[in-house]
Amino acid sequence: MNEQKYNAIIADDHAIVRAGLKDALEKSGLIEPDGIKVVAEAGDGLTAIAEIRKHRPHLLLLDVSMPMAGGVEVLVEARRWSRETKVVVLTGVSAVGLVSDLIEAGVDGLFSKASDNTEFYQKLPGILRGQRHISEHFLSILEETPKLPVLTDRERQTLNMILAGRSNKEIAEGLGISVKTVDKHRTSLMQKLNVRSVPQLMARALKEGMIDPSKEL
């Protein structure tokens, strides 16, 4: 019985990483008997989304810290345009907020760039066939870290706009709410995240993976 020939897209903003992953995927017998054909590469999130829409691959290998669009955004768009694509994240980021967001968004595989490649090579065939695998590295982080406070959608929108340097008035106009309501959301954010200033808020949000450090604020 012939094995199915799989194809993949690699999305990472480092060309040397993409080259290494491509060699590994396409090498016959390393992961699949006939290898996995790389049909496209992307160095930023928007290009990754465009290539997903174009090719609808069996596999997307994704980094989370890329220009233009972060890993969670690309994952969500991949689910929108190509539901059958298996999304596997390879990352050096260990922020508990980001890890939680990726798992909640339905990532099929999550591996640390700091770990040995053996686990990745061994688990990828199963992921291609419908299994899910989260590296023990990330499971340990989730188990050892207290749960983050739950933010409402409005609080998340307000947080992003505060970190972008918007004033209360600008946030109110952008969200179509009153300045008083913005101030209420701001106060709630400070209390939930246990901070007392915008710099502390930014530091906490970066630490917990609530914002992408590769994006301009």
Side-chain angles (χ1 to χ4, degrees), residues 12-14 43 62-67 69-71 90-91 93 98 212-214:
D12 193 294
D13 60 342
H14 294 94
L62 176 65
D63 187 19
V64 293
S65 297
M66 291 188 298
L90 288 159
T91 181
V93 180
L98 179 60
D212 188 339
S214 68

Side-chain angles (χ1 to χ4, degrees), residues 156-210:
R156 284 189 176 276
Q157 290 173 324
T158 302
L159 173 63
N160 289 331
M161 296 182 81
I162 290 173
L163 298 177
R166 305 288 180 83
S167 67
N168 279 11
K169 183 179 179 181
E170 290 172 325
I171 295 172
E173 291 173 352
L175 297 180
I177 57 180
S178 69
V179 173
K180 185 176 181 179
T181 301
V182 172
D183 191 56
K184 179 181 176 182
H185 290 322
R186 182 190 286 263
T187 301
S188 178
L189 282 168
M190 296 287 189
Q191 291 175 343
K192 284 185 176 183
L193 297 177
N194 194 29
V195 296
R196 297 181 180 179
S197 67
V198 171
Q200 287 180 346
L201 184 65
M202 180 179 291
R204 179 76 193 276
L206 277 168
K207 179 182 177 183
E208 304 298 352
M210 293 178 171

Side-chain angles (χ1 to χ4, degrees), residues 62 64 71-72 75-76 79 87-89 91 93-111 132-143:
L62 176 65
V64 293
V72 176
L75 171 55
V76 170
R79 289 286 179 259
V87 181
V88 173
V89 169
T91 181
V93 180
S94 296
V96 65
L98 179 60
V99 173
S100 297
D101 286 346
L102 288 167
I103 293 174
E104 289 177 11
V107 70
D108 297 290
L110 183 56
F111 298 87
R132 194 184 194 202
H133 180 77
I134 308 299
S135 172
E136 185 63 35
H137 171 76
F138 295 109
L139 293 177
S140 296
I141 290 172
L142 293 176
E143 290 174 359

